[in-house]
C-alpha cells in the first residue's frame, strides 16, 4: 500500500499544486489506526476524499518503487567525481557499459 504522503503529492500535482509549495498547509498524522490528513488549508483546492486518494494508489506505488530504484542506482553509480575519473582512466565506452548494466539490473517501472 502506498504512503499517504505520496498519494497526497500526486493529488496536488494533478491539481496544479506541488507538495513543496503546500506542505506547510497540510498536516498528515497517524493516531495508531493509520495515516490521515489532520489539517488541510490549501488555497483553492478541497481536501481529497478517501476515494480520490485511493485513485492514486497504483501511481503512488510505482513512484515509491521507482524512488527505491533511483536511490540504488545513485549508490551504484558512485560520485560524479569518481565517474569522471573512471572515464578518464578507462574511457567513455567503458563507463557507458557499466552505467547501462546498472540500469538494466535496476529497472524502473
Amino acid at each position: 500500500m502506498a504512503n499517504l504522503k505520496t498519494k497526497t503529492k500526486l493529488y496536488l500535482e494533478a491539481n496544479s499544486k506541488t507538495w513543496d509549495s503546500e506542505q506547510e498547509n497540510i498536516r498528515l498524522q497517524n493516531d495508531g489506526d493509520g495515516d490521515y490528513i489532520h489539517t488541510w488549508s490549501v488555497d483553492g483546492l478541497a481536501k481529497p476524499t478517501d476515494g480520490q486518494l485511493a485513485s492514486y494508489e497504483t501511481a503512488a506505488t510505482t513512484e515509491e518503487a521507482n524512488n527505491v530504484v533511483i536511490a540504488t542506482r545513485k549508490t551504484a553509480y558512485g560520485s560524479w567525481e569518481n565517474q569522471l575519473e573512471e572515464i578518464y582512466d578507462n574511457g567513455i565506452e567503458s563507463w557507458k557499459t557499466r552505467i547501462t548494466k546498472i540500469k538494466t539490473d535496476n529497472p524502473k517501472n
Side-chain angles (χ1 to χ4, degrees):
M1 182 169 198
N3 185 305
L4 177 61
K5 179 183 175 186
T6 306
K7 292 187 279 189
T8 303
K9 176 183 164 288
L10 292 173
Y11 172 77
L12 288 166
E13 289 170 357
N15 289 282
S16 301
K17 306 274 186 184
T18 66
W19 177 263
D20 290 340
S21 66
E22 298 296 341
Q23 65 184 337
E24 293 179 7
N25 300 320
I26 302 165
R27 183 169 167 214
L28 306 179
Q29 194 165 319
N30 185 321
D31 60 5
D33 290 329
D35 295 335
Y36 65 96
I37 298 172
H38 180 268
T39 305
W40 182 274
S41 59
V42 176
D43 190 38
L45 183 60
K47 177 180 169 182
T49 65
D50 290 341
Q52 287 171 313
L53 290 173
S55 73
Y56 292 100
E57 183 68 35
T58 300
T61 299
T62 299
E63 182 169 316
E64 289 172 3
N66 284 340
N67 287 340
V68 170
V69 170
I70 290 166
T72 301
R73 285 181 178 184
K74 283 182 178 182
T75 299
Y77 293 157
S79 71
W80 64 267
E81 294 94 343
N82 288 345
Q83 290 182 61
L84 285 175
E85 187 173 330
E86 176 185 359
I87 291 167
Y88 180 81
D89 290 343
N90 304 320
I92 191 92
E93 292 307 316
S94 174
W95 173 83
K96 283 182 181 179
T97 300
R98 187 178 70 83
I99 296 300
T100 299
K101 179 160 179 19
I102 291 169
K103 288 183 176 188
T104 301
D105 290 348
N106 300 283
K108 290 195 281 184
N109 294 327

